[in-house]
Amino acid sequence: MATILLSLNTHALLPLPTSTRTTKTTLKSLRFSHNPPFSSPFYCKHDTRLHLRCQTTTGTPSIADFASSAGQDRLRKVPIKNIRNFSIIAHIDHGKSTLADKLLQMTGTVQKRDMKEQFLDNMDLERERGITIKLQAARMRYVYENEGYCLNLIDTPGHVDFSYEVSRSLAACEGALLVVDASQGVEAQTLANVYLALENNLEIILVLNKIDLPGAEPDRVCMEIEEVIGLDCSNAIHCSAKEGIGITEILNAIVERVPPPHDTAAMPLRALIFDSYYDPYRGVIVYFRVIDGTIKKGDRIYFMASGKDYYADEIGVLSPNQMQVEELYAGEVGYISASIRSVADARVGDTITHYSRKAEQSLPGYEEATPMVFCGLFPVDADQFSELRDALEKLQLNDAALKFEPESSSAMGFGFRCGFLGLLHMEIVQERLEREYNLSLITTAPSVVYRVNCVDDDIVECSNPSLLPEPGKRRSIEEPFVKIEMLTPKDYIGTLMELAQERRGEFKEMKYITEIRASITYELPLAEMVGDFFDQLKSRSKGYASMEYTFVGYKESDLIRLDIQINGEPVEPLATIVHKDKAYSIGRALTQKLKELIPRQMFKVPIQACIGAKVIASEALSAIRKDVLAKCYGGDISRKKKLLKKQAEGKKRMKAIGKVDVPQEAFMAVLKLEKEVL
């Protein structure tokens, strides 16, 4: 083990070990272990008192060692002017989580022995996919010019489907680190996140990441940012989160450029809930940012939206694990545990105040998330319906963008119609329900909300095809349209325009951002995008293109309901709303798939795809036929005809009263096919 020798020096900056402050005579020969009690404050460079220089057998200690020793004391209170609240925003895979890891390591918030990649991504799902799904908060302590600062970091997701998480975290901050990959440059979500930050009036610190890569072009990317976004790149920080280059400059920039919160500690308490989750032992745990006032352990608190009151049994900070404190004041970020059992009592966006000294006005909260994609979630085992409802309520607490309502189906029983922000969001929610709550689920094909104008001037919103009014009662059907912006290298412009045209896209504009990159804007139906549009975009551009979309409104389209009939009986769960031009190909694909999946019966079973009463595609399942002529080894032909006629009459009677049971596997396979062909 290395030992540390202390020698007299008047230029170094290092805390004096507590045990040696009064014994000046023994300083020259003093030895102690490699982990001394660095809890004492730093001595000032201009102080006339004794300063020390550490010399180890492994070399001179780095700035990281000093920062690490300061980071151990991160629960120490600092003045409000020394608090900095910031988040990290970027396009997916530009290095947000790696940068967050490095900041935690450099400030000593997480020890090197405890460090692992994607430290803040604590879900298995996040680690497997390599993406951030949930925003994560962490409190760090950083010493700058001999003064302690409290840095509250919020790491955010980068995928377009989780933009609601980003907007919530930005509302709790005064600044943002905009991370841009120095090799890939400005991408779709980079723009979207910048606009979110500007809407919240945040100070933006530009960070060019991955400068150590051979393909990094920081100068080109800086020019791109200035042209596309309009941000000044003269003070952009060049860094490599993986190699640890430029991390100290980032921490210094946060302290120098991010404004501190307003000093409103004397006002009545107002705290904004920006996230929460359900703990089976402690109830609802709420993450909040104190905007005004002070909150102490044991205070009686009041939730202004739900009207419920509780006692704050435990308050603390996230650093990044939960650490208890006695008090939090204006500008600080923390958590509260108050034995809240009902998930409806503490919703994201609610305002916490004191029960005895209520605030006059609640905080604005958050804009409601508007679901874009809908699908049905049904338990494979009908007995799990109540468990599914409880799981969705608890998950909604942690994922405020999730919406759901009860639904019943003749084929799959009772379940829920759920609304999501996108396809990836839908996938993640399904996987979380199956993993975290041990549920087996069936998911119907994703659909969107259609607006039906009826002949009696009523407007009906419909996300379930089986609830669509009859053709005679409706005047027109409108579907949601989105404006989609695709950023791509110029080599793939043609293939991406072809993709958009195939999906009924309407061309709006194309402009060159730089000499080699272009932005293509289309308006296309959301229903065409919820399928495999994103996968096709990536495969056709070899992974180089990115996209961002925004909802623009409803437009009238030539839409029809495609019904599937088996033995003359309509099967409601297989009905879909499709565009008239695509009805035949989808109907043909569904009937062919069902023919393979439905077991043969004792009678002939027709499988038909219909638009109203008109059959547009049909397949027939031939009957299992008994050879009634086996015993006829000779004789007159009339004998054989008589037996065949008798068999035909029996088949006819059987078909009239017989019922075809579509197996569960067939439903699941057809739903999977619907997801592909739609």
Side-chain angles (χ1 to χ4, degrees), residues 625 628-629 640-649:
R625 185 170 170 272
V628 290
L629 302 181
K640 292 180 183 178
K641 283 182 178 177
K642 184 181 176 184
L643 289 171
L644 290 169
K645 189 180 177 184
K646 190 178 176 183
Q647 185 188 37
E649 284 172 358

Side-chain angles (χ1 to χ4, degrees), residues 430-661:
Q430 186 190 349
E431 282 200 48
R432 286 187 70 184
L433 286 168
E434 289 177 347
R435 288 186 187 203
E436 295 173 27
Y437 301 97
N438 296 320
L439 296 169
S440 298
L441 300 173
I442 300 168
T443 316
T444 63
S447 64
V448 297
V449 177
Y450 296 95
R451 194 177 280 170
V452 184
N453 298 312
C454 300
V455 289
D456 56 359
D457 293 332
D458 277 354
I459 296 174
V460 179
E461 289 199 340
C462 170
S463 64
N464 192 341
S466 60
L467 301 177
L468 194 71
E470 292 298 316
K473 293 181 181 178
R474 60 181 190 247
R475 187 186 298 124
S476 62
I477 303 176
E478 295 177 2
E479 64 178 330
F481 269 69
V482 290
K483 182 175 130 185
I484 181 167
E485 184 180 8
M486 298 176 282
L487 296 184
T488 174
K490 63 179 183 180
D491 300 345
Y492 308 110
I493 291 171
T495 55
L496 295 188
M497 288 180 84
E498 188 185 341
L499 171 66
Q501 298 286 1
E502 285 171 9
R503 302 301 173 99
R504 298 191 283 131
E506 187 182 321
F507 178 74
K508 289 296 171 188
E509 68 167 334
M510 184 181 82
K511 58 186 178 188
Y512 277 87
I513 298 168
T514 62
E515 291 177 5
I516 57 169
R517 280 164 67 80
S519 163
I520 313 167
T521 307
Y522 270 87
E523 275 187 15
L524 78 160
L526 180 62
E528 296 286 347
M529 212 192 73
V530 299
D532 61 344
F533 187 88
F534 186 71
D535 296 340
Q536 285 289 327
L537 176 98
K538 285 294 181 187
S539 64
R540 293 193 187 200
S541 66
K542 297 181 182 173
Y544 285 107
S546 60
M547 61 172 251
E548 160 69 8
Y549 64 89
T550 49
F551 175 68
V552 291
Y554 279 83
K555 290 186 181 180
E556 192 174 314
S557 292
D558 196 1
L559 301 169
I560 48 96
R561 188 174 95 170
L562 183 67
D563 289 308
I564 299 293
Q565 291 189 357
I566 298 175
N567 197 30
E569 294 287 322
V571 184
E572 281 188 6
L574 299 180
T576 52
I577 297 173
V578 296
H579 193 265
K580 200 172 181 180
D581 296 344
K582 292 192 170 185
Y584 175 75
S585 57
I586 292 171
R588 170 64 59 202
L590 289 176
T591 51
Q592 285 175 349
K593 192 71 177 175
L594 279 168
K595 185 183 178 183
E596 295 171 20
L597 296 166
I598 296 173
R600 288 173 70 193
Q601 309 292 317
M602 292 297 290
F603 50 91
K604 186 180 178 182
V605 179
I607 302 165
Q608 299 164 319
C610 313
I611 301 172
K614 182 184 176 186
V615 177
I616 60 165
S618 179
E619 293 286 341
L621 203 63
S622 57
I624 301 172
R625 185 170 170 272
K626 183 182 174 185
D627 187 6
V628 290
L629 302 181
K631 58 185 177 181
C632 295
Y633 47 85
D636 191 48
I637 188 70
S638 59
R639 176 68 183 156
K640 292 180 183 178
K641 283 182 178 177
K642 184 181 176 184
L643 289 171
L644 290 169
K645 189 180 177 184
K646 190 178 176 183
Q647 185 188 37
E649 284 172 358
K651 296 273 186 196
K652 189 178 178 183
R653 188 168 59 252
M654 201 184 290
K655 185 175 180 179
I657 61 169
K659 189 179 177 185
V660 181
D661 286 324

Side-chain angles (χ1 to χ4, degrees), residues 175-204:
L177 292 181
L178 175 65
V179 181
V180 181
D181 189 324
S183 58
Q184 295 185 42
V186 175
E187 299 209 51
Q189 204 56 29
T190 311
L191 290 170
N193 288 334
V194 168
Y195 297 145
L196 280 174
L198 292 173
E199 279 173 21
N200 286 277
N201 298 316
L202 300 190
E203 176 66 34
I204 297 174

Side-chain angles (χ1 to χ4, degrees), residues 325-372:
V325 295
E326 292 297 315
E327 181 185 21
L328 290 170
Y329 50 78
E332 291 195 283
V333 174
Y335 74 92
I336 191 165
S337 171
S339 302
I340 305 166
R341 289 291 161 199
S342 172
V343 294
D345 291 353
R347 288 290 186 199
V348 166
D350 200 349
T351 303
I352 302 173
T353 188
H354 279 131
Y355 186 79
S356 54
R357 190 190 175 200
K358 292 188 179 75
E360 291 181 11
Q361 195 174 0
S362 63
L363 294 162
Y366 301 111
E367 194 179 322
E368 277 288 304
T370 308
M372 290 285 184

Side-chain angles (χ1 to χ4, degrees), residues 203-264:
E203 176 66 34
I204 297 174
I205 298 171
L206 186 61
V207 176
L208 294 183
N209 194 16
K210 305 187 183 180
I211 59 161
D212 58 312
L213 292 180
E217 298 175 276
D219 295 335
R220 176 186 67 81
V221 172
C222 280
M223 191 175 71
E224 210 171 273
I225 291 166
E226 287 180 344
E227 286 179 10
V228 179
I229 305 174
L231 289 178
D232 180 19
C233 292
S234 58
N235 53 1
I237 300 167
H238 292 211
C239 91
S240 167
K242 192 174 181 182
E243 299 297 327
I245 302 165
I247 305 300
T248 308
E249 286 85 345
I250 292 171
L251 289 165
N252 293 345
I254 291 165
V255 172
E256 290 168 1
R257 291 160 59 183
V258 175
H262 298 294
D263 189 351
T264 53

